[in-house]
């Protein structure tokens, strides 16, 4: 969680191309090697960030709510 939060901050601040895993690690308060225990590279970290952050939002946005006007 801390790594993904730090990655979000870093990617938002610098963009994908300029973001560095060293800076993500610093923001997360972990060693850079710790990131590599969970993610193969910066792209894998970014993909997981998108998957964990945006997919739930997109699911909520595309889910049709039950019609509350119908009587049960």
């Amino acid at each position: 969680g801390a790594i993904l939060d730090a990655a979000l901050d870093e990617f938002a601040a610098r963009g994908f191309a300029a973001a560095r895993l060293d800076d993500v690690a610093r923001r997360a308060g972990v060693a850079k090697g710790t990131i590599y225990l969970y993610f193969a590279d910066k792209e894998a970290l970014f993909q997981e960030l998108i998957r964990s952050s945006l997919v739930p939002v997109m699911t909520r946005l595309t889910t049709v709510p039950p019609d509350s006007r119908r009587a049960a």
Side-chain angles (χ1 to χ4, degrees):
I3 293 171
L4 290 175
D5 290 342
L8 177 60
D9 291 343
E10 191 64 24
F11 290 133
R14 299 183 190 271
F16 178 80
R20 298 177 334 128
L21 290 181
D22 288 321
D23 295 326
V24 172
R26 181 184 45 76
R27 284 180 186 259
V30 300
K32 183 178 176 181
T34 303
I35 294 175
Y36 287 110
L37 291 174
Y38 299 98
F39 307 99
D41 54 22
K42 183 171 75 170
E43 185 174 337
L45 173 58
F46 186 76
Q47 288 173 348
E48 181 57 30
L49 179 62
I50 296 301
R51 194 172 10 263
S52 66
S53 298
L54 292 182
V55 169
V57 171
M58 294 304 296
T59 300
R60 284 193 303 266
L61 290 175
T62 59
T63 301
V64 177
D67 188 354
S68 60
R69 293 175 291 173
R70 278 196 262 167

